[in-house]
Amino acid sequence: MTDYSSEASGGAFQRITDVLIAPASRPAGHQRVRAVIDTGSDVSAVPEQFIRANGLVPTADQEIVFADGRTVIEPLFQVQLTLQSWQPVPVLVWAAPFETALVGLDVLQHGFLIADGPRGRFDLLWRETWRARLMR
């Protein structure tokens, strides 16, 4: 399990980890960034600096609803996110105006988030890893 530092987020589980981000068209061109795992977010986000540096173009638009109730329409970009030992997950993300990626339920639905609150630890298990553990 990974130790975490917590951040408040209106009751949603939110913890810090690292994530690899790569343009969908160039999976080998990945970059490691800090990421917040946010179970209160439906759509993941990556730093807009990554979007600009890789010349990504939007492929869709999505309404984003913030915790304070504000809503905005944001362009979405195709990337691959890799968490810990997971396989890369293709996902549409919005460009966030901060240096940390945001991993939402659109990515987390591909695996299992196991939180051990009393010990301040969590684990992210890819669905196939979880199945292999169950078969033992």
Side-chain angles (χ1 to χ4, degrees):
M1 291 193 125
T2 302
D3 292 323
Y4 60 72
S5 60
S6 64
E7 294 189 5
S9 176
F13 178 88
Q14 197 175 68
R15 302 296 177 247
I16 307 285
T17 190
D18 285 335
V19 64
L20 294 177
I21 307 168
S25 60
R26 295 183 313 279
H30 64 267
Q31 174 183 341
R32 182 179 303 274
V33 298
R34 297 295 283 163
V36 174
I37 297 171
D38 186 358
T39 60
S41 177
D42 292 331
V43 182
S44 295
V46 300
E48 64 185 351
Q49 179 182 359
F50 175 86
I51 300 294
R52 283 194 311 268
N54 287 282
L56 300 183
V57 295
T59 59
D61 291 318
Q62 172 79 38
E63 182 180 60
I64 306 294
V65 181
F66 293 96
D68 65 4
R70 287 179 300 126
T71 61
V72 296
I73 303 295
E74 289 286 340
L76 299 181
F77 304 87
Q78 183 71 48
V79 301
Q80 288 186 354
L81 295 180
T82 306
L83 296 163
Q84 294 182 1
S85 63
W86 287 25
Q87 299 295 318
V89 175
V91 64
L92 290 172
V93 298
W94 59 282
F98 33 80
E99 295 179 16
T100 304
L102 179 73
V103 179
L105 294 175
D106 55 342
V107 172
L108 296 173
Q109 72 181 348
H110 295 280
F112 297 88
L113 169 64
I114 302 166
D116 182 351
R119 291 194 179 112
R121 300 173 63 89
F122 73 92
D123 204 358
L124 294 163
L125 297 175
W126 180 249
R127 61 181 171 242
E128 299 306 323
T129 304
W130 184 256
R131 286 187 189 125
R133 285 186 183 184
L134 290 176
M135 300 302 268
R136 290 184 193 163

